[in-house]
Amino acid sequence: MKFCSECGKSVVHRIPEGDNLPRFICEHCDIIHYQNPKLVVGCLPVWEDKVLLCKRAIEPSYGLWTLPAGFMENQESLEQAALRESDEEANANLKIDNLYSVISLPHINQIYVLFLAKLLDIDFYAGSESLDVRLFTQEEIPWNQLAFKTIENTLRHFFEDREKNHFPVHTSVISKRNRLGQLSD
Amino acid sequence: MKFCSECGKSVVHRIPEGDNLPRFICEHCDIIHYQNPKLVVGCLPVWEDKVLLCKRAIEPSYGLWTLPAGFMENQESLEQAALRESDEEANANLKIDNLYSVISLPHINQIYVLFLAKLLDIDFYAGSESLDVRLFTQEEIPWNQLAFKTIENTLRHFFEDREKNHFPVHTSVISKRNRLGQLSD
């Protein structure tokens, strides 16, 4: 951020009085422009013994497989965001079961929120952000071609939980340090 | 938003190609300035049969009681944000137990995420954003002087769940329509 989005004048970057972190401040408008993490919201769509994955048609991770998910918009609920993204990326007709995965990624200022969901039919097809959409059994999951660690984490939990038929919410933190290694959860 | 935060020139508000919502666009930088919901993160601190509430020293809801919570910062996890806010508002020394309340407020573009937490001692005291910090039994909760519906919702769930000694995650939506009425959860 270089300019105030309200008046167009240059901002300064310093710690405001009574605060303890540097912020972008417009000294003309007297506005502090806070910057906050973004929510990435989506679904883990289940059909019989299979899960739905989308092959990404956009960067980052073009050509790799992911769960339908994307940035939450203003004026929607988490559930609406999860269903909208699943519709946009996979034209998937879903019913949300429950909140399943809540993952903090502090190094990129993102929070993933993924819901378990039932596919209501198999009339899905790739949206403009997907090259392909397919159902995978556990054995078929392309573990080495998954787009993000959040997706691998969530799928591993799902197949473990399915053994016990118990699907509690999993919260975890994926930091830069452990991004390619062990998860904290 | 009136001006591009990167170049300081005026932005336009229109639907970008391939999108379906109007965005603030800088036609000089070719940047789309997305606007996304913010996370409000905090704790429900428990000590024996009591919970900790803070009396707000800031607007909105000055003078009303709330759980320690606030806007999540970049470069922190949900759990770090919850502990930081509890420290800032109540100087409370806490151990997080589990994720407890996830509430969408689409009409104000906020998502509340609250964790159940144990107070490790009772050396808490009001931070600069609190007029007072106190422990309340269920009977003592000032139900008519709670700052936000999210807080009432979470406290009601807590006392119900305590009867069963089972504290599952509660997800809900508080919309403008039902803000003062029944919750969806």
Side-chain angles (χ1 to χ4, degrees):
Chain A
M1 169 164 243
K2 295 174 192 142
F3 299 92
C4 174
S5 52
E6 289 307 302
C7 75
K9 293 203 165 49
S10 292
V11 293
V12 296
H13 195 238
R14 63 165 170 80
I15 300 176
E17 206 182 304
D19 202 340
N20 50 22
L21 286 173
R23 314 281 182 185
F24 292 106
I25 301 171
C26 176
E27 293 179 329
H28 181 254
C29 296
D30 229 4
I31 291 179
I32 302 172
H33 294 281
Y34 293 97
Q35 300 196 310
N36 306 93
K38 287 187 172 39
L39 282 152
V40 178
V41 183
C43 286
L44 193 174
V46 180
W47 177 264
E48 297 172 352
D49 65 337
K50 301 185 183 76
V51 300
L52 180 145
L53 298 178
C54 304
K55 192 172 189 174
R56 288 174 64 84
I58 51 171
E59 294 293 353
S61 298
Y62 179 97
L64 299 182
W65 293 89
T66 190
L67 292 168
F71 288 110
M72 187 171 181
E73 302 278 7
N74 277 348
Q75 298 187 306
E76 64 185 357
S77 68
L78 287 166
E79 291 82 352
Q80 285 170 334
L83 291 174
R84 178 183 51 72
E85 288 291 343
S86 303
D87 182 55
E88 287 176 8
E89 297 183 3
N91 293 280
N93 190 15
L94 293 171
K95 183 186 170 297
I96 286 180
D97 280 333
N98 56 274
L99 181 62
Y100 189 57
S101 222
V102 179
I103 307 174
S104 301
L105 297 113
H107 60 296
I108 52 171
N109 306 319
Q110 290 181 4
I111 309 295
Y112 265 66
V113 175
L114 299 170
F115 291 86
L116 267 191
K118 274 191 194 64
L119 270 165
L120 297 176
D121 57 55
I122 51 170
D123 299 338
F124 55 79
Y125 58 95
S128 63
E129 295 182 4
S130 305
L131 297 170
D132 194 3
V133 180
R134 278 198 234 168
L135 293 174
F136 293 84
T137 64
Q138 182 173 2
E139 292 67 35
E140 292 166 346
I141 298 284
W143 294 106
N144 294 325
Q145 294 169 59
L146 294 179
F148 307 111
K149 197 77 185 166
T150 49
I151 304 304
E152 181 187 339
N153 178 343
T154 302
L155 287 171
R156 290 205 187 277
H157 281 305
F158 173 73
F159 292 116
E160 282 170 28
D161 290 345
R162 199 173 62 174
E163 298 285 315
K164 296 166 267 178
N165 195 29
H166 176 57
F167 302 92
V169 180
H170 295 277
T171 59
S172 63
V173 181
I174 297 179
S175 65
K176 209 168 189 169
R177 196 170 49 74
N178 69 5
R179 192 158 55 103
L180 301 171
Q182 280 305 104
L183 301 179
S184 63
D185 179 14
Chain B
M1 169 163 242
K2 295 176 193 139
F3 299 93
C4 174
S5 51
E6 288 307 303
C7 75
K9 293 202 165 48
S10 292
V11 292
V12 296
H13 195 238
R14 62 165 170 81
I15 300 176
E17 207 182 303
D19 202 340
N20 50 21
L21 287 173
R23 314 282 181 184
F24 292 106
I25 301 172
C26 176
E27 293 178 327
H28 181 254
C29 297
D30 229 5
I31 291 179
I32 302 172
H33 294 280
Y34 293 97
Q35 300 196 310
N36 306 92
K38 288 187 171 38
L39 282 152
V40 178
V41 183
C43 287
L44 193 174
V46 180
W47 177 264
E48 296 173 352
D49 66 336
K50 302 184 184 74
V51 299
L52 179 145
L53 298 178
C54 305
K55 192 173 190 174
R56 288 174 65 83
I58 50 171
E59 294 293 353
S61 297
Y62 179 98
L64 299 182
W65 293 88
T66 190
L67 292 168
F71 288 111
M72 186 172 180
E73 301 278 6
N74 277 348
Q75 300 188 305
E76 65 184 356
S77 68
L78 286 166
E79 291 82 352
Q80 286 171 333
L83 292 174
R84 177 183 51 73
E85 288 291 342
S86 304
D87 181 54
E88 286 176 9
E89 296 183 4
N91 294 280
N93 190 13
L94 292 171
K95 182 185 171 297
I96 286 181
D97 279 333
N98 55 275
L99 181 62
Y100 189 57
S101 223
V102 179
I103 307 174
S104 301
L105 298 113
H107 60 297
I108 51 170
N109 306 320
Q110 290 181 4
I111 309 296
Y112 265 67
V113 174
L114 299 170
F115 291 86
L116 267 191
K118 273 190 194 67
L119 270 165
L120 297 176
D121 56 56
I122 50 170
D123 300 337
F124 55 80
Y125 58 96
S128 63
E129 295 182 5
S130 304
L131 297 170
D132 193 4
V133 180
R134 276 199 235 168
L135 292 175
F136 293 84
T137 64
Q138 182 173 2
E139 293 68 32
E140 292 165 346
I141 298 284
W143 294 106
N144 294 326
Q145 295 168 60
L146 294 179
F148 307 111
K149 197 75 185 167
T150 49
I151 304 304
E152 180 186 340
N153 178 342
T154 302
L155 288 171
R156 290 207 187 275
H157 281 304
F158 173 73
F159 292 116
E160 282 171 28
D161 291 346
R162 200 173 60 174
E163 298 285 314
K164 296 166 270 181
N165 195 30
H166 176 57
F167 301 91
V169 180
H170 295 277
T171 59
S172 62
V173 181
I174 297 179
S175 65
K176 210 167 188 169
R177 196 171 49 75
N178 70 6
R179 193 157 54 104
L180 300 171
Q182 281 304 105
L183 301 178
S184 63
D185 179 15

